[in-house]
Amino acid sequence: MSYTEAHSEAGDSLARNEILTDNEIIRTVIAEDDDDDDVTPVNPVKISHSETVAALNTSLEWAEGQNFEAHENMLLRRLRDHAFELKIGTQKKNY
């Protein structure tokens, strides 16, 4: 493609597109952001403490099998232990 053809094509492209000022761009973006407020939130799935402990145990076994670093395994253990404490606390309230 020659320079003249490229220049002509670029001019045609500009003619098809609206050229906006900075303020018009800002107003357009703000208007698009307001449209996002219409999104209905999805209800989160309820996961029990027992299911969480089981999933974290599985994750920990997998991580250890993959030779993760110690600090990564410790994080999974801490999460599992915290979920277990929540499980125990919930059971105590039910008695």
Side-chain angles (χ1 to χ4, degrees), residues 47-94:
I47 300 173
S48 72
H49 299 309
S50 296
E51 290 173 308
T52 304
V53 170
L56 287 166
N57 275 330
T58 302
S59 299
L60 182 58
E61 288 175 20
W62 174 80
E64 289 172 343
Q66 298 297 314
N67 297 319
F68 276 35
E69 294 185 21
H71 71 276
E72 295 169 321
N73 292 336
M74 288 174 61
L75 175 60
L76 287 171
R77 283 190 190 98
R78 287 181 58 207
L79 289 170
R80 179 202 54 199
D81 293 349
H82 185 68
F84 184 74
E85 290 169 5
L86 291 171
K87 174 184 170 187
I88 298 300
T90 303
Q91 289 176 346
K92 287 182 182 177
K93 288 180 185 178
N94 292 332

Short mmCIF file of all heavy atoms in Angstrom, two decimals, residues 47-94:
data_model
loop_
_atom_site.label_atom_id
_atom_site.label_comp_id
_atom_site.label_asym_id
_atom_site.label_seq_id
_atom_site.Cartn_x
_atom_site.Cartn_y
_atom_site.Cartn_z
N ILE A 47 -21.64 -21.95 51.12
CA ILE A 47 -20.77 -23.11 51.29
C ILE A 47 -20.58 -23.31 52.78
O ILE A 47 -20.20 -22.37 53.50
CB ILE A 47 -19.42 -22.89 50.59
CG1 ILE A 47 -19.64 -22.66 49.09
CG2 ILE A 47 -18.49 -24.08 50.82
CD1 ILE A 47 -18.40 -22.26 48.34
N SER A 48 -20.83 -24.50 53.26
CA SER A 48 -20.72 -24.77 54.69
C SER A 48 -19.26 -24.80 55.13
O SER A 48 -18.35 -24.97 54.31
CB SER A 48 -21.38 -26.11 55.03
OG SER A 48 -20.59 -27.17 54.54
N HIS A 49 -19.07 -24.62 56.43
CA HIS A 49 -17.71 -24.69 56.99
C HIS A 49 -17.12 -26.09 56.77
O HIS A 49 -15.93 -26.22 56.47
CB HIS A 49 -17.72 -24.34 58.48
CG HIS A 49 -18.22 -22.95 58.76
ND1 HIS A 49 -17.72 -21.84 58.13
CD2 HIS A 49 -19.16 -22.50 59.61
CE1 HIS A 49 -18.33 -20.76 58.58
NE2 HIS A 49 -19.21 -21.14 59.49
N SER A 50 -17.94 -27.12 56.88
CA SER A 50 -17.46 -28.49 56.68
C SER A 50 -16.96 -28.69 55.25
O SER A 50 -15.91 -29.30 55.03
CB SER A 50 -18.57 -29.50 56.97
OG SER A 50 -18.94 -29.43 58.32
N GLU A 51 -17.72 -28.18 54.27
CA GLU A 51 -17.31 -28.29 52.87
C GLU A 51 -16.01 -27.52 52.64
O GLU A 51 -15.14 -27.96 51.88
CB GLU A 51 -18.39 -27.74 51.95
CG GLU A 51 -19.64 -28.59 51.88
CD GLU A 51 -20.73 -27.92 51.08
OE1 GLU A 51 -21.06 -26.76 51.37
OE2 GLU A 51 -21.23 -28.56 50.13
N THR A 52 -15.89 -26.38 53.30
CA THR A 52 -14.69 -25.56 53.15
C THR A 52 -13.47 -26.28 53.71
O THR A 52 -12.41 -26.31 53.08
CB THR A 52 -14.88 -24.20 53.85
OG1 THR A 52 -16.04 -23.57 53.31
CG2 THR A 52 -13.67 -23.32 53.68
N VAL A 53 -13.62 -26.88 54.89
CA VAL A 53 -12.50 -27.62 55.49
C VAL A 53 -12.09 -28.76 54.58
O VAL A 53 -10.90 -28.97 54.33
CB VAL A 53 -12.88 -28.14 56.90
CG1 VAL A 53 -11.84 -29.11 57.43
CG2 VAL A 53 -13.06 -26.98 57.88
N ALA A 54 -13.06 -29.50 54.05
CA ALA A 54 -12.75 -30.62 53.15
C ALA A 54 -12.03 -30.14 51.89
O ALA A 54 -11.05 -30.75 51.45
CB ALA A 54 -14.03 -31.37 52.79
N ALA A 55 -12.49 -29.03 51.32
CA ALA A 55 -11.87 -28.50 50.10
C ALA A 55 -10.44 -28.04 50.39
O ALA A 55 -9.53 -28.27 49.57
CB ALA A 55 -12.70 -27.35 49.55
N LEU A 56 -10.23 -27.40 51.54
CA LEU A 56 -8.89 -26.94 51.87
C LEU A 56 -7.96 -28.11 52.18
O LEU A 56 -6.76 -28.05 51.88
CB LEU A 56 -8.94 -25.93 53.02
CG LEU A 56 -9.51 -24.57 52.61
CD1 LEU A 56 -9.85 -23.73 53.84
CD2 LEU A 56 -8.54 -23.82 51.71
N ASN A 57 -8.48 -29.18 52.79
CA ASN A 57 -7.66 -30.38 53.01
C ASN A 57 -7.21 -30.96 51.67
O ASN A 57 -6.04 -31.32 51.50
CB ASN A 57 -8.45 -31.44 53.79
CG ASN A 57 -8.37 -31.22 55.28
OD1 ASN A 57 -7.38 -30.71 55.79
ND2 ASN A 57 -9.41 -31.61 55.99
N THR A 58 -8.14 -31.03 50.72
CA THR A 58 -7.81 -31.53 49.39
C THR A 58 -6.78 -30.62 48.72
O THR A 58 -5.80 -31.10 48.12
CB THR A 58 -9.07 -31.62 48.51
OG1 THR A 58 -10.01 -32.49 49.16
CG2 THR A 58 -8.76 -32.14 47.12
N SER A 59 -6.97 -29.31 48.85
CA SER A 59 -6.03 -28.35 48.26
C SER A 59 -4.65 -28.49 48.87
O SER A 59 -3.63 -28.43 48.17
CB SER A 59 -6.53 -26.92 48.46
OG SER A 59 -7.78 -26.74 47.84
N LEU A 60 -4.61 -28.69 50.18
CA LEU A 60 -3.33 -28.83 50.87
C LEU A 60 -2.61 -30.10 50.41
O LEU A 60 -1.41 -30.07 50.14
CB LEU A 60 -3.54 -28.84 52.38
CG LEU A 60 -2.29 -28.93 53.24
CD1 LEU A 60 -1.34 -27.78 52.95
CD2 LEU A 60 -2.68 -28.92 54.72
N GLU A 61 -3.34 -31.20 50.30
CA GLU A 61 -2.73 -32.44 49.82
C GLU A 61 -2.19 -32.25 48.41
O GLU A 61 -1.08 -32.70 48.09
CB GLU A 61 -3.76 -33.57 49.83
CG GLU A 61 -4.13 -34.05 51.22
CD GLU A 61 -5.24 -35.08 51.20
OE1 GLU A 61 -5.48 -35.70 50.13
OE2 GLU A 61 -5.90 -35.25 52.24
N TRP A 62 -2.95 -31.58 47.56
CA TRP A 62 -2.51 -31.33 46.19
C TRP A 62 -1.25 -30.45 46.18
O TRP A 62 -0.30 -30.76 45.48
CB TRP A 62 -3.64 -30.66 45.40
CG TRP A 62 -3.22 -30.24 44.03
CD1 TRP A 62 -3.11 -31.03 42.93
CD2 TRP A 62 -2.81 -28.93 43.62
NE1 TRP A 62 -2.68 -30.29 41.85
CE2 TRP A 62 -2.49 -28.99 42.26
CE3 TRP A 62 -2.71 -27.71 44.28
CZ2 TRP A 62 -2.07 -27.89 41.54
CZ3 TRP A 62 -2.29 -26.61 43.57
CH2 TRP A 62 -1.97 -26.70 42.21
N ALA A 63 -1.26 -29.38 46.96
CA ALA A 63 -0.11 -28.46 46.99
C ALA A 63 1.14 -29.17 47.49
O ALA A 63 2.23 -28.95 46.95
CB ALA A 63 -0.44 -27.26 47.87
N GLU A 64 0.99 -30.00 48.50
CA GLU A 64 2.15 -30.74 49.02
C GLU A 64 2.67 -31.71 47.96
O GLU A 64 3.88 -31.88 47.81
CB GLU A 64 1.79 -31.46 50.31
CG GLU A 64 1.61 -30.51 51.47
CD GLU A 64 1.04 -31.18 52.73
OE1 GLU A 64 0.49 -32.31 52.62
OE2 GLU A 64 1.15 -30.56 53.80
N GLY A 65 1.77 -32.32 47.20
CA GLY A 65 2.17 -33.23 46.13
C GLY A 65 2.85 -32.52 44.97
O GLY A 65 3.62 -33.12 44.22
N GLN A 66 2.57 -31.23 44.82
CA GLN A 66 3.17 -30.44 43.75
C GLN A 66 4.45 -29.74 44.22
O GLN A 66 5.02 -28.94 43.49
CB GLN A 66 2.18 -29.37 43.27
CG GLN A 66 0.91 -29.93 42.67
CD GLN A 66 1.17 -30.75 41.43
OE1 GLN A 66 1.92 -30.33 40.55
NE2 GLN A 66 0.56 -31.91 41.35
N ASN A 67 4.85 -30.04 45.45
CA ASN A 67 6.06 -29.45 46.03
C ASN A 67 6.01 -27.92 46.10
O ASN A 67 6.97 -27.23 45.76
CB ASN A 67 7.32 -29.90 45.29
CG ASN A 67 7.53 -31.39 45.40
OD1 ASN A 67 7.32 -31.97 46.47
ND2 ASN A 67 7.92 -32.03 44.31
N PHE A 68 4.86 -27.41 46.54
CA PHE A 68 4.75 -25.97 46.76
C PHE A 68 5.73 -25.57 47.86
O PHE A 68 6.15 -26.39 48.66
CB PHE A 68 3.34 -25.60 47.19
CG PHE A 68 2.37 -25.42 46.05
CD1 PHE A 68 2.44 -26.17 44.89
CD2 PHE A 68 1.37 -24.46 46.14
CE1 PHE A 68 1.55 -26.00 43.87
CE2 PHE A 68 0.48 -24.28 45.11
CZ PHE A 68 0.55 -25.04 43.97
N GLU A 69 6.04 -24.29 47.91
CA GLU A 69 6.93 -23.80 48.96
C GLU A 69 6.21 -23.84 50.31
O GLU A 69 4.98 -23.80 50.37
CB GLU A 69 7.37 -22.38 48.64
CG GLU A 69 8.25 -22.33 47.40
CD GLU A 69 8.80 -20.94 47.12
OE1 GLU A 69 8.85 -20.12 48.06
OE2 GLU A 69 9.17 -20.69 45.97
N ALA A 70 6.99 -23.92 51.37
CA ALA A 70 6.44 -24.08 52.72
C ALA A 70 5.46 -22.97 53.07
O ALA A 70 4.40 -23.23 53.66
CB ALA A 70 7.57 -24.14 53.74
N HIS A 71 5.79 -21.73 52.74
CA HIS A 71 4.90 -20.62 53.11
C HIS A 71 3.55 -20.72 52.40
O HIS A 71 2.52 -20.31 52.95
CB HIS A 71 5.56 -19.26 52.85
CG HIS A 71 5.70 -18.90 51.41
ND1 HIS A 71 6.76 -19.33 50.64
CD2 HIS A 71 4.92 -18.15 50.60
CE1 HIS A 71 6.62 -18.86 49.42
NE2 HIS A 71 5.52 -18.14 49.36
N GLU A 72 3.51 -21.30 51.21
CA GLU A 72 2.24 -21.49 50.51
C GLU A 72 1.40 -22.57 51.19
O GLU A 72 0.19 -22.41 51.36
CB GLU A 72 2.51 -21.84 49.05
CG GLU A 72 3.17 -20.70 48.28
CD GLU A 72 3.68 -21.11 46.92
OE1 GLU A 72 4.22 -22.23 46.77
OE2 GLU A 72 3.53 -20.29 46.00
N ASN A 73 2.06 -23.66 51.59
CA ASN A 73 1.34 -24.71 52.31
C ASN A 73 0.85 -24.20 53.66
O ASN A 73 -0.25 -24.55 54.10
CB ASN A 73 2.25 -25.93 52.50
CG ASN A 73 2.55 -26.63 51.19
OD1 ASN A 73 1.81 -26.52 50.23
ND2 ASN A 73 3.66 -27.33 51.15
N MET A 74 1.66 -23.38 54.31
CA MET A 74 1.26 -22.83 55.61
C MET A 74 0.01 -21.95 55.46
O MET A 74 -0.87 -21.97 56.33
CB MET A 74 2.40 -22.04 56.23
CG MET A 74 3.53 -22.93 56.74
SD MET A 74 4.96 -22.02 57.34
CE MET A 74 4.25 -21.08 58.66
N LEU A 75 -0.08 -21.21 54.38
CA LEU A 75 -1.26 -20.38 54.15
C LEU A 75 -2.50 -21.26 54.02
O LEU A 75 -3.54 -20.97 54.63
CB LEU A 75 -1.09 -19.53 52.89
CG LEU A 75 -2.32 -18.72 52.48
CD1 LEU A 75 -2.71 -17.75 53.59
CD2 LEU A 75 -2.06 -18.00 51.19
N LEU A 76 -2.40 -22.35 53.28
CA LEU A 76 -3.54 -23.26 53.15
C LEU A 76 -3.91 -23.87 54.50
O LEU A 76 -5.09 -24.01 54.83
CB LEU A 76 -3.23 -24.37 52.14
CG LEU A 76 -3.23 -23.94 50.67
CD1 LEU A 76 -2.70 -25.05 49.78
CD2 LEU A 76 -4.64 -23.54 50.24
N ARG A 77 -2.90 -24.23 55.31
CA ARG A 77 -3.17 -24.77 56.64
C ARG A 77 -3.89 -23.76 57.52
O ARG A 77 -4.83 -24.09 58.24
CB ARG A 77 -1.87 -25.20 57.32
CG ARG A 77 -1.33 -26.50 56.82
CD ARG A 77 -0.16 -26.99 57.70
NE ARG A 77 0.48 -28.10 57.07
CZ ARG A 77 1.59 -28.02 56.33
NH1 ARG A 77 2.21 -26.86 56.18
NH2 ARG A 77 2.10 -29.09 55.77
N ARG A 78 -3.43 -22.50 57.46
CA ARG A 78 -4.07 -21.45 58.27
C ARG A 78 -5.52 -21.25 57.85
O ARG A 78 -6.40 -21.09 58.70
CB ARG A 78 -3.29 -20.14 58.13
CG ARG A 78 -1.96 -20.17 58.89
CD ARG A 78 -1.20 -18.87 58.78
NE ARG A 78 -1.99 -17.76 59.27
CZ ARG A 78 -1.85 -16.50 58.85
NH1 ARG A 78 -0.94 -16.20 57.94
NH2 ARG A 78 -2.60 -15.55 59.35
N LEU A 79 -5.77 -21.25 56.55
CA LEU A 79 -7.15 -21.11 56.07
C LEU A 79 -8.00 -22.29 56.52
O LEU A 79 -9.14 -22.12 56.98
CB LEU A 79 -7.16 -21.00 54.54
CG LEU A 79 -6.63 -19.70 53.95
CD1 LEU A 79 -6.48 -19.83 52.44
CD2 LEU A 79 -7.53 -18.54 54.31
N ARG A 80 -7.45 -23.50 56.40
CA ARG A 80 -8.17 -24.69 56.82
C ARG A 80 -8.47 -24.64 58.31
O ARG A 80 -9.60 -24.91 58.75
CB ARG A 80 -7.36 -25.94 56.50
CG ARG A 80 -8.06 -27.23 56.93
CD ARG A 80 -7.14 -28.38 57.13
NE ARG A 80 -6.06 -28.04 58.06
CZ ARG A 80 -4.93 -28.71 58.13
NH1 ARG A 80 -4.70 -29.73 57.32
NH2 ARG A 80 -3.99 -28.38 58.99
N ASP A 81 -7.46 -24.27 59.11
CA ASP A 81 -7.65 -24.20 60.56
C ASP A 81 -8.70 -23.16 60.93
O ASP A 81 -9.52 -23.38 61.83
CB ASP A 81 -6.33 -23.90 61.26
CG ASP A 81 -5.32 -25.05 61.13
OD1 ASP A 81 -5.71 -26.15 60.69
OD2 ASP A 81 -4.14 -24.81 61.45
N HIS A 82 -8.68 -22.04 60.23
CA HIS A 82 -9.67 -20.99 60.51
C HIS A 82 -11.08 -21.48 60.17
O HIS A 82 -12.03 -21.27 60.93
CB HIS A 82 -9.34 -19.72 59.73
CG HIS A 82 -10.22 -18.57 60.06
ND1 HIS A 82 -10.20 -17.95 61.28
CD2 HIS A 82 -11.17 -17.95 59.33
CE1 HIS A 82 -11.09 -16.97 61.29
NE2 HIS A 82 -11.69 -16.95 60.11
N ALA A 83 -11.22 -22.16 59.03
CA ALA A 83 -12.52 -22.71 58.66
C ALA A 83 -12.98 -23.75 59.68
O ALA A 83 -14.16 -23.81 60.04
CB ALA A 83 -12.45 -23.33 57.26
N PHE A 84 -12.04 -24.55 60.20
CA PHE A 84 -12.38 -25.54 61.20
C PHE A 84 -12.86 -24.86 62.49
O PHE A 84 -13.84 -25.29 63.11
CB PHE A 84 -11.17 -26.44 61.49
CG PHE A 84 -11.47 -27.56 62.45
CD1 PHE A 84 -12.21 -28.66 62.04
CD2 PHE A 84 -11.03 -27.50 63.76
CE1 PHE A 84 -12.49 -29.70 62.93
CE2 PHE A 84 -11.30 -28.52 64.65
CZ PHE A 84 -12.05 -29.62 64.23
N GLU A 85 -12.18 -23.79 62.89
CA GLU A 85 -12.60 -23.04 64.08
C GLU A 85 -14.00 -22.47 63.90
O GLU A 85 -14.81 -22.48 64.84
CB GLU A 85 -11.61 -21.93 64.39
CG GLU A 85 -10.26 -22.45 64.89
CD GLU A 85 -9.20 -21.37 64.93
OE1 GLU A 85 -9.50 -20.19 64.66
OE2 GLU A 85 -8.04 -21.72 65.23
N LEU A 86 -14.29 -21.97 62.72
CA LEU A 86 -15.64 -21.46 62.45
C LEU A 86 -16.67 -22.58 62.52
O LEU A 86 -17.77 -22.40 63.04
CB LEU A 86 -15.69 -20.79 61.07
CG LEU A 86 -14.92 -19.48 60.94
CD1 LEU A 86 -14.88 -19.03 59.48
CD2 LEU A 86 -15.56 -18.40 61.81
N LYS A 87 -16.30 -23.75 62.02
CA LYS A 87 -17.19 -24.91 62.07
C LYS A 87 -17.49 -25.29 63.52
O LYS A 87 -18.64 -25.50 63.89
CB LYS A 87 -16.55 -26.09 61.33
CG LYS A 87 -17.31 -27.38 61.42
CD LYS A 87 -16.53 -28.50 60.75
CE LYS A 87 -17.17 -29.83 61.06
NZ LYS A 87 -16.39 -30.95 60.58
N ILE A 88 -16.44 -25.35 64.33
CA ILE A 88 -16.61 -25.70 65.75
C ILE A 88 -17.46 -24.65 66.46
O ILE A 88 -18.35 -24.97 67.24
CB ILE A 88 -15.24 -25.85 66.45
CG1 ILE A 88 -14.44 -26.98 65.81
CG2 ILE A 88 -15.39 -26.07 67.94
CD1 ILE A 88 -15.09 -28.33 65.88
N GLY A 89 -17.20 -23.38 66.18
CA GLY A 89 -17.98 -22.30 66.80
C GLY A 89 -19.45 -22.38 66.44
O GLY A 89 -20.31 -22.13 67.27
N THR A 90 -19.75 -22.74 65.20
CA THR A 90 -21.14 -22.87 64.76
C THR A 90 -21.82 -24.04 65.45
O THR A 90 -22.97 -23.95 65.86
CB THR A 90 -21.20 -23.07 63.22
OG1 THR A 90 -20.54 -21.96 62.60
CG2 THR A 90 -22.61 -23.16 62.73
N GLN A 91 -21.09 -25.13 65.63
CA GLN A 91 -21.66 -26.30 66.28
C GLN A 91 -21.95 -26.01 67.74
O GLN A 91 -22.96 -26.46 68.28
CB GLN A 91 -20.72 -27.50 66.15
CG GLN A 91 -20.66 -28.05 64.74
CD GLN A 91 -19.65 -29.17 64.59
OE1 GLN A 91 -18.80 -29.40 65.45
NE2 GLN A 91 -19.73 -29.88 63.47
N LYS A 92 -21.09 -25.25 68.41
CA LYS A 92 -21.32 -24.92 69.81
C LYS A 92 -22.57 -24.08 69.99
O LYS A 92 -23.29 -24.23 70.96
CB LYS A 92 -20.11 -24.17 70.40
CG LYS A 92 -18.92 -25.06 70.64
CD LYS A 92 -17.79 -24.25 71.26
CE LYS A 92 -16.56 -25.13 71.47
NZ LYS A 92 -15.43 -24.36 72.00
N LYS A 93 -22.84 -23.20 69.05
CA LYS A 93 -24.03 -22.34 69.13
C LYS A 93 -25.32 -23.15 68.99
O LYS A 93 -26.35 -22.78 69.52
CB LYS A 93 -23.99 -21.27 68.03
CG LYS A 93 -22.97 -20.21 68.26
CD LYS A 93 -23.01 -19.20 67.14
CE LYS A 93 -21.91 -18.17 67.29
NZ LYS A 93 -21.90 -17.21 66.18
N ASN A 94 -25.25 -24.26 68.24
CA ASN A 94 -26.44 -25.07 68.00
C ASN A 94 -26.79 -25.97 69.19
O ASN A 94 -27.84 -26.59 69.21
CB ASN A 94 -26.26 -25.91 66.75
CG ASN A 94 -26.23 -25.05 65.50
OD1 ASN A 94 -26.82 -23.97 65.46
ND2 ASN A 94 -25.53 -25.52 64.47
#
